[in-house]
Amino acid sequence: MRKDLINDARIAVGVFVDMRRARAEGKDVRLKMVRCCPCIKSGPAFYDTSEGCMFAHRDRALHNAVWEVFKTLSYEDKRVLCFSPENGRFLARVQLWERELEPALPPKLYHKAMGAILHQYVRIKLAHVRGRCRMPLRDIKIYPCFWETPPSPGKMDEKRQYLKDHGTFQSDIVLDEDGYLIDGFTSYLLARERGIIDVPVRYGKRQVIQAYHRPGGKLYTWELPEGLTGQVSAGDEVVVHTQRGVRCVTVAAVRRYVPRSSAGRMQMVIKRKGGPA
């Protein structure tokens, strides 16, 4: 300890002498605090790519085989793969993987890998078309009724198996304009279960109709399927399921569906009368 203090004092005296000499020579001398921060330079990693994240959920042999090929790629190719393919770049990316994987893998493993990659690109392309984005899981709001009626263990096991087999959620997480979840609660629960910080979501809306069998009659409620959302208006006739079978009813009103109670799931409208089945 004493030795260290003496060394520090010598260094301080030496610095002071150097400053005096520099000032005597007319130089501008200033003291600044400097901190040395370690910097680690790492190249693009396999899990920085959408393919790497996807193969992480595939069987280990396939994952390891593609990973080994990734290690042999040039820095430029690795960097390109770190960004999700944009429109117009999918074909070039497929060709890159074909060029690198085909000579390196057995035929069966090669076709399995390319099938998985193509499936991933289709998902990304659909995300572009449907206007999906990613958001922190903690920012998703949940209506109380979802907690009141959790999915059955059997349904959750089915969703877990799909995630394991395909590397993606079976159901989209769909939010309304206020950021509340309106569909995909099982995917939300799986993301929480696995500690996933941010998840892919898309925005949509759910609508219900109030309709009657005859003018002046009692109003009943059905939910519109996603394909008919925004396509049905008051006065339209729609085909629905009832306790007495399939019937045609007239729409009295269309409104936004807000799942505020734990009531059972409503029947879906089958189609608009005159529209495709």
Side-chain angles (χ1 to χ4, degrees):
M1 179 71 175
R2 184 175 180 181
K3 188 176 181 180
D4 291 339
L5 289 174
I6 294 173
N7 287 336
D8 289 344
R10 286 175 179 172
I11 293 172
V13 170
V15 171
F16 180 75
V17 170
D18 290 342
M19 289 174 59
R20 292 280 302 246
R21 184 182 299 116
R23 282 176 176 161
E25 295 172 357
K27 296 178 181 178
D28 184 20
V29 179
R30 298 180 185 180
L31 287 177
K32 289 185 178 180
M33 183 178 290
V34 178
R35 290 187 174 92
C36 295
C37 299
C39 180
I40 301 174
K41 183 179 180 181
S42 62
F46 189 47
Y47 294 127
D48 292 335
T49 69
S50 64
E51 293 88 349
C53 294
M54 179 266 296
F55 279 114
H57 297 282
R58 302 281 173 161
D59 66 77
R60 188 53 52 185
L62 182 62
H63 166 273
N64 291 344
V66 177
W67 192 3
E68 290 301 320
V69 173
F70 177 83
K71 292 177 183 178
T72 67
L73 300 181
S74 67
Y75 178 86
E76 291 73 20
D77 284 341
K78 289 178 180 177
R79 181 168 174 77
V80 167
L81 291 173
C82 286
F83 299 91
S84 293
E86 299 177 353
N87 291 332
R89 298 298 302 167
F90 285 91
L91 180 59
R93 193 149 168 158
V94 169
Q95 291 172 338
L96 186 157
W97 280 114
E98 285 179 332
R99 183 181 71 244
E100 300 297 334
L101 292 178
E102 188 171 15
L105 303 183
K108 187 175 181 180
L109 206 59
Y110 163 72
H111 290 298
K112 190 174 182 180
M114 287 307 302
I117 289 170
L118 290 171
H119 178 75
Q120 175 79 347
Y121 291 172
V122 169
R123 289 182 57 250
I124 295 173
K125 182 67 176 178
L126 288 174
H128 290 174
V129 172
R130 296 173 181 172
R132 298 187 188 185
C133 62
R134 298 187 72 87
M135 72 179 300
L137 189 71
R138 66 175 182 271
D139 291 346
I140 297 176
K141 305 172 188 176
I142 305 296
Y143 286 111
C145 63
F146 284 106
W147 297 116
E148 294 168 4
T149 55
S152 67
K155 186 174 184 179
M156 289 301 298
D157 288 341
E158 176 188 330
K159 301 291 185 178
R160 288 189 190 97
Q161 188 62 45
Y162 186 94
L163 178 60
K164 181 179 179 181
D165 293 342
H166 299 87
T168 184
F169 297 122
Q170 186 175 17
S171 305
D172 292 341
I173 295 177
V174 185
L175 309 182
D176 64 15
E177 59 191 20
D178 298 320
Y180 279 92
L181 182 143
I182 55 175
D183 203 3
F185 187 51
T186 54
S187 299
Y188 173 86
L189 292 177
L190 284 179
R192 280 188 44 159
E193 182 180 286
R194 290 171 174 259
I196 298 175
I197 297 174
D198 62 286
V199 291
V201 302
R202 64 183 176 88
Y203 288 86
K205 60 182 178 180
R206 290 172 67 178
Q207 290 182 323
V208 295
I209 63 165
Q210 289 185 304
Y212 51 82
H213 292 278
R214 59 182 65 84
K218 182 179 178 180
L219 293 177
Y220 297 88
T221 303
W222 288 269
E223 184 175 354
L224 288 172
E226 190 171 10
L228 287 179
T229 300
Q231 306 297 316
V232 174
S233 304
D236 289 346
E237 293 185 320
V238 295
V239 181
V240 299
H241 287 292
T242 72
Q243 292 181 343
R244 298 184 179 182
V246 176
R247 295 286 189 273
C248 183
V249 296
T250 302
V251 178
V254 181
R255 58 182 175 83
R256 175 186 171 191
Y257 173 53
V258 179
R260 296 193 183 281
S261 68
S262 58
R265 190 176 182 87
M266 285 182 287
Q267 290 274 18
M268 285 282 185
V269 172
I270 300 173
K271 65 173 186 175
R272 187 170 53 186
K273 188 175 180 181

